[in-house]
Amino acid sequence: MVHDHDALPVSRRSLIKVSGGAAALGALALTSRGWSAHAQDATPMATPSTCPELTLDQMKEIAKQFLTAWEGVVANPDAFAALLTDDYIHHWGLGVDSHGAEETLARVTTYMTAIPDQHFTIQAVYGEGDTVIVRWTATGTQTGQLGSIAPSSVTAEYSGINILRFSCGLIAESWNETDQFGRLVQIGVITDDELGTVGTPTP
């Protein structure tokens, strides 16, 4: 399971969905107080921004929340979509990129429907600037058809990373690499005989 559930912050979009649009927007709006000054000591007022700035620690917590939402996407798709910008792009380790939260949500749902018990365990979280990297291991049993891969009763353990780029308090872009090769070997899609044919020939 993903660690630190209780520490996860609520994103801007999550707050809007959970609390209702009017209340959430009111809570998130940056306000400024009226003031007056003499010309000689007047200073320019900063223009309030509606784009929240997250600390690195906040981005790391949302990155963990991203994996939790991925696990529960079939039952609660809104929790996953709420973390993403409208123009979000996901770069899959296999297959073409998905563009937009809706397209990504559909593909993640297809994946998790086929492997409904997949659970992530976070090994490490790194971050710099607007980017967070999560290294994880996962277990899952592919009980449904996934592309050309037939269901299996074997539970596999595999590793991967997600790289998340943030913009305006939400995840704007992500990259994923999963050890699908290792998973397919464990469930028997790639056999030992096949593995023997791809090794480097001995001189």
Side-chain angles (χ1 to χ4, degrees):
M1 64 171 58
V2 177
H3 305 314
D4 302 331
H5 291 287
D6 295 337
L8 299 181
V10 178
S11 72
R12 175 168 60 95
R13 187 179 299 207
S14 297
L15 184 60
I16 292 172
K17 287 184 176 291
V18 172
S19 302
L25 290 174
L28 290 168
L30 298 178
T31 59
S32 60
R33 291 177 293 179
W35 58 276
S36 61
H38 298 293
Q40 63 269 24
D41 59 8
T43 57
M45 288 185 65
T47 302
S49 171
T50 58
C51 183
E53 294 293 334
L54 301 180
T55 66
L56 187 55
D57 284 342
Q58 288 174 323
M59 288 189 288
K60 288 180 177 180
E61 293 300 331
I62 293 174
K64 298 175 186 178
Q65 187 178 4
F66 175 83
L67 296 183
T68 301
W70 185 297
E71 290 177 347
V73 71
V74 175
N76 189 6
D78 286 349
F80 182 79
L83 302 176
L84 314 176
T85 63
D86 291 336
D87 58 352
Y88 169 82
I89 300 174
H90 184 72
H91 306 280
W92 295 83
L94 295 173
V96 299
D97 298 345
S98 55
H99 295 263
E102 184 175 348
E103 181 181 339
T104 303
L105 178 62
R107 289 179 62 177
V108 173
T109 300
T110 296
Y111 183 87
M112 287 303 298
T113 299
I115 313 178
D117 65 343
Q118 177 169 291
H119 290 285
F120 296 98
T121 298
I122 293 176
Q123 302 297 330
V125 183
Y126 314 94
E128 183 175 353
D130 63 356
T131 302
V132 173
I133 301 172
V134 184
R135 181 170 60 84
W136 48 263
T137 56
T139 58
T141 312
Q142 186 188 322
T143 58
Q145 188 75 23
L146 186 59
S148 61
I149 305 170
S152 169
S153 60
V154 177
T155 298
E157 182 175 353
Y158 36 97
S159 60
I161 63 170
N162 279 88
I163 304 172
L164 310 174
R165 180 179 64 82
F166 287 79
S167 177
C168 204
L170 297 171
I171 303 169
E173 190 172 13
S174 64
W175 294 259
N176 167 254
E177 290 292 340
T178 300
D179 181 20
Q180 292 292 351
F181 181 83
R183 187 181 77 83
L184 296 179
V185 169
Q186 292 176 65
I187 68 176
V189 174
I190 300 174
T191 66
D192 290 341
D193 289 343
E194 290 173 319
L195 286 174
T197 66
V198 298
T200 303
T202 302

